[in-house]
Structures are given as structure tokens and as C-alpha cells.
Amino acid sequence: MISFFIIIYLLITLGIGFWASKRIKTSNDFTLAGKNLSTSFVAITLFATWFGSSQIMGNPGYFIKDGFSSYVTLILSGSICLFIVGWFYARKLYRMNLVTINDFFRIRYNKKLELTSSILMILAYPHWIAAQFVALAYLFNAVIGIPIEYGIFLGALIVVFYTYIGGMWAVAYTDMVQSIMILLGLNIVLIEVLSKTGGILPIFENKPTEFFYLVPTGGIDEWSDYIALLLAFIIGAIPVQEIYQRVFSAKSERSARNGLFLGAILLVIITSIPLIIGLGGVYLYPELLKDGNNQDIIPSLVNTMTSIPIQILFYGALISAILSTSSGAMLAPATVIGENLIKPYANKISDKRLLLYTRLSVILVALASCYFAYDDTDIIRLVEASLSLILVCLFAPFTFGLFWKKANTHGAWAAIIIGGLTWLFCYIFNSRIDPTIYGTIMSCTSMLLGSMLSFKKAKLKNDALLNIK
């Protein structure tokens, strides 16, 4: 019965995507929804894109084990990132009339840096998307009994079709429907759990004092992981394309900024619900922790203690979360491929042909994502890996280039090369301190020194862009 309703829900979702696809006439419609998204649509698509498999299947396990220190790294970090982008980045970038942030690298630096940043951006996304494919595979395995390896392929096939036909318009409309499903499904499960635990207080009563600390209580290894996660989810997410794809799709600068702020609030409130559900679940059924797979706690809980109608709503919410994240994450690198790797180098390419190539890029991204999904099935680590490369290579030239007049091409190359090589070297030799920390420090330092040492010889390009207020 649950399988039947899941199939019906998937068909409805795909139907909405197909209906929305009728609004796509140009490549701009496909990538930026014709720059017509309101504040609410911007907020919902931002929330839906970042509320995915890790929030429902990954985060609860970490919260149960690590307590409120993981709440800071896994929940608050994403909202902090959106607030930072809203306050400091959105206004300047929206006024530049960009399609991707890699356009900024071309305008601020040169075409070679646009090309390099585009390749790095594309390489980072398959890990993120792979995390969603893994989550769909776990879902299909729990509900229908499909083996994980086949579930990954099936999930990829569904998401590819859904993204290919609809583009940003389909993402926006289906995200709105899916967000309603997420809220409805999670809140019903939350009420069911709290009614059996006797409220929220009992599930926290016997926790050790360390559970409530906002920072790690262990040694250097725990602090290293803590700082690395904060860097990845706050700073590393600042230059990612899926944020600015929604910012640039807004109908006005005000809609873009307010959408970021509202999305940040939604992210904090709604992502806290699965944590409470998971904690209440192991309070009622401690055996849920015994199999060692903390990513399966909430689905196992729902199967154990809820009725069929509630299970249908929950799995509808879970599917919604994964599909919305997958489609948004898949559209971002496909847009970069079309706008920054194909369009500048294809002589007099028509808009119709560009739209086709961007759609085909969705398939290419999906194939790469499947490879990583089969290679690593830890959802949180897949997401962290996707942000590390962007953090150690692109954050410094992106941020310094936007806010510092002396930033130049020499500094940008130094940040990308030295930051990336430092991260790779530390990763290969398994440094005790997380490689992301070393890479970020070296990238920012190289950006500063490289720009300062070459300042007298370098000519600042497009200086007027930096005077935008």
C-alpha cells in the first residue's frame, strides 16, 4: 500500500514538473525562471534545496551521538551562511546581472579564471548529488525492498527526468508543493513521537552535561572535525551556485535578499524537527542504535511505531526533501556547463541549442554523481566533501574579489593553486588536523600575499564594479 502511494506521489510530482516545463521557451527560463521568482519562492527553493537527505537521515544520528555541538555545525551553520549572503553578497551580485557566479570570475578577473572556477564548481557537485541518490536508495530499500545498488540507479533516473524537463520553473513549483509535504509529514510524526514520550522534556532528562555543550569536549581531533564542518557549511557554501541561482532568479533585489533571510529562518526551524524525532525515537526504542546504521534511525522508527497513513505522509515528506535537493543541486552544475563552458566557446550558438546542451548536461552530472554514490554511502561525508573543494579553492578569490580593490588575477591564481594543493597534500597524507582547515588558511593567505606582491604590476579590471553600493 505504501509503495502504491509513493508511486502515485512521484507521478504527481513529475506531472507538476511537466506542466511547469511549458513555461520554458529560452535558456534563461530554464536556468533562472525568467527572473520572476517572488520572495516566497526564493525562500522555499532555498530551503528545499538545502533540506535534503542529510537533514532527515544523516543529522539525527550525529545529534544523538554528539549533542548540541553537532546542532551548531549541522543546523545553525546553513542558516548563518544564508544570512551572510543576504547581508553582504546578494545586493552586489544581483546588480551585476549574472547567471552563474563563474560569470563574476570572468568580469572581475579573466576568462581563464572563469574556466578554472567553472571546472572546480562542476567537480564539487557530484558528491552532493550522490548523497541524495544514496538517500533515495535507502528509502527504496526500506519501503519497497530494492537493493541499495539498484536504488541508486532508480533514484538517479527519476531525478534526471524531473530536472531535465522542468528546469528552474519546475524546481520552484515542485519545491512549493514538496515543502508543504515536508512540513505536514514531519509534524505529524513529531506529534506521534512526543505523545508517547510524554512531551519534549523527558527525552533530554537523562542526557549527560556534555550533550548540551555547543562546542566539543574532547581533544584536538574533535575540535578539528568541528572547525572543519563549520568552515565547510558556512564559508564553503558561500560561493556555491545553487544559492545564487535562486538569488539571480528573483524578480527584484529586495525579493532576493528577503528570500535569503526567510529561507534561513525556515532552515533553522524545520531542520530541528528530525533531530527531536530521532532523539525521541531512541528514547522509546533504544534498540534502534544497535545495528550501527545511524542513517536509518528515523525510517526504522516510523516503520516501528506509526500507522500506515502516517508512514505514507512521512515517506512523502522524505521523497519531497530528497527530490527537491537533488533537482536544485543538479541544475546548478548543468547551468555552469552551459553558460561558462559551452556558450563562451561555441561560435554564434543559438539559444535553442544552448538550452539543449544545458539539459544534456543534467544527464552528464547525474552519471558522475552515480559513480560517487556507489563509491561512498556516508551521506554527511559526501555533502562535506562537495563543499571542501569549493572552500579551499574558490572562497578566497570570490570574496576578496568582491570586497577588496587590491585583489587581482595573480592573487586569485595563488589562492586556487596553493589552497587546493595544500588541501590535497594534507588529504593524501592524512593529516591529524582536517585538510580543509589547512587549505582554507593557505588559500586566504595566498590571495592576500599574491595580490599585494603583484599590486604594482597588475591592472585592476572593472574597478567600477567594486564601487557598487
Side-chain angles (χ1 to χ4, degrees):
M1 185 177 183
I2 296 176
S3 302
F4 172 77
F5 280 100
I6 285 178
I7 293 172
I8 293 298
Y9 175 71
L10 288 172
L11 291 175
I12 292 173
T13 302
L14 293 174
I16 295 172
F18 181 77
W19 170 78
S21 70
K22 296 183 180 297
R23 300 193 64 170
I24 296 175
K25 306 299 181 184
T26 66
S27 61
N28 185 265
D29 292 334
F30 185 81
T31 57
L32 297 181
K35 295 182 73 71
N36 280 308
L37 296 189
S38 63
T39 296
S40 59
F41 269 115
V42 172
I44 290 296
T45 56
L46 280 167
F47 157 73
T49 297
W50 277 14
F51 188 88
S53 58
S54 59
Q55 279 67 34
I56 296 180
M57 299 176 70
N59 290 0
Y62 281 89
F63 182 65
I64 291 166
K65 180 171 65 77
D66 299 328
F68 278 89
S69 64
S70 66
Y71 185 83
V72 174
T73 56
L74 300 177
I75 304 298
L76 294 183
S77 57
S79 295
I80 293 171
C81 174
L82 292 184
F83 269 111
I84 291 174
V85 173
W87 279 113
F88 300 106
Y89 290 80
R91 181 176 62 183
K92 283 177 172 286
L93 292 167
Y94 187 87
R95 293 179 180 182
M96 294 175 68
N97 196 30
L98 308 174
V99 176
T100 72
I101 68 162
N102 307 100
D103 294 339
F104 170 81
F105 281 83
R106 181 187 69 251
I107 295 170
R108 182 62 176 88
Y109 301 112
N110 57 38
K111 290 188 69 174
K112 291 182 179 179
L113 272 166
E114 175 196 14
L115 177 63
T116 302
S117 66
S118 299
I119 293 172
L120 289 170
M121 185 72 67
I122 293 164
L123 290 175
Y125 270 96
H127 287 90
W128 190 320
I129 301 165
Q132 314 315 314
F133 292 167
V134 170
L136 278 173
Y138 275 118
L139 174 61
F140 293 148
N141 178 260
V143 178
I144 309 175
I146 297 176
I148 297 296
E149 57 271 21
Y150 295 117
I152 290 174
F153 177 77
L154 178 60
L157 191 64
I158 293 170
V159 176
V160 164
F161 181 77
Y162 167 77
T163 308
Y164 183 95
I165 64 171
M168 193 62 202
W169 271 122
V171 170
Y173 280 115
T174 52
D175 278 356
M176 185 67 74
V177 175
Q178 289 163 350
S179 295
I180 294 172
M181 285 293 298
I182 291 169
L183 277 171
L184 184 62
L186 289 180
N187 276 290
I188 289 176
V189 174
L190 177 64
I191 292 170
E192 184 81 5
V193 170
L194 293 183
S195 68
K196 294 186 178 182
T197 61
I200 195 171
L201 293 180
I203 66 177
F204 290 102
E205 283 179 351
N206 296 321
K207 294 297 179 183
T209 304
E210 293 80 7
F211 182 86
F212 300 95
Y213 291 167
L214 298 180
V215 296
T217 57
I220 188 172
D221 294 330
E222 286 191 19
W223 272 99
S224 172
D225 290 342
Y226 183 79
I227 294 172
L229 284 171
L230 285 179
L231 286 174
F233 292 139
I234 296 178
I235 299 177
I238 285 176
V240 296
Q241 171 63 17
E242 76 267 13
I243 291 180
Y244 300 99
Q245 192 136 8
R246 283 126 188 88
V247 171
F248 302 152
S249 297
K251 63 182 180 182
S252 68
E253 177 187 319
R254 183 176 181 181
S255 296
R257 294 190 72 197
N258 290 343
L260 283 162
F261 297 146
L262 180 56
I265 294 170
L266 290 174
L267 208 56
V268 169
I269 295 173
I270 301 174
T271 52
S272 298
I273 297 175
L275 306 186
I276 300 173
I277 294 173
L279 201 61
V282 298
Y283 172 84
L284 296 170
Y285 306 98
E287 63 272 14
L288 291 176
L289 290 174
K290 292 180 180 178
D291 64 358
N293 184 13
N294 291 343
Q295 297 182 117
D296 200 34
I297 288 176
I298 293 186
S300 297
L301 170 67
V302 170
N303 290 337
T304 300
M305 65 169 287
T306 62
S307 62
I308 294 296
I310 294 178
Q311 290 179 32
I312 291 171
L313 285 172
F314 168 76
Y315 285 115
L318 185 53
I319 290 172
S320 296
I322 298 171
L323 286 179
S324 58
T325 299
S326 302
S327 58
M330 195 175 291
L331 184 61
T335 300
V336 173
I337 292 173
E339 291 291 329
N340 301 109
L341 297 187
I342 296 177
K343 185 178 179 180
Y345 303 98
N347 188 28
K348 297 181 180 179
I349 186 172
S350 66
D351 188 75
K352 184 177 181 180
R353 181 65 59 127
L354 177 62
L355 174 59
L356 174 62
Y357 287 159
T358 304
R359 279 177 158 157
L360 291 175
S361 299
V362 170
I363 301 175
L364 180 64
V365 171
L367 292 174
S369 301
C370 282
Y371 170 80
F372 290 108
Y374 284 114
D375 187 58
D376 188 350
T377 56
D378 186 319
I379 295 173
I380 292 295
R381 292 303 169 188
L382 282 169
V383 175
E384 183 185 1
S386 73
L387 294 173
S388 296
L389 185 63
I390 297 176
L391 171 60
V392 300
C393 291
L394 299 185
F395 169 76
F398 179 63
T399 299
F400 283 89
L402 190 62
F403 297 105
W404 188 38
K405 290 185 177 182
K406 293 183 179 181
N408 57 43
T409 303
H410 296 83
W413 280 119
I416 291 173
I417 295 172
I418 297 176
L421 289 177
T422 301
W423 173 78
L424 182 62
F425 180 85
C426 294
Y427 180 82
I428 291 174
F429 289 95
N430 195 26
S431 62
R432 186 176 184 184
I433 302 297
D434 193 283
T436 304
I437 299 174
Y438 286 121
T440 303
I441 293 173
M442 290 304 298
S443 182
C444 292
T445 302
S446 301
M447 183 73 207
L448 285 167
L449 293 178
S451 296
M452 291 298 293
L453 292 175
S454 61
F455 176 68
K456 292 182 179 180
K457 297 181 180 179
K459 295 181 180 180
L460 294 177
K461 187 180 181 181
N462 293 310
D463 185 63
L465 292 170
L466 299 173
N467 296 319
I468 297 174
K469 296 182 178 180

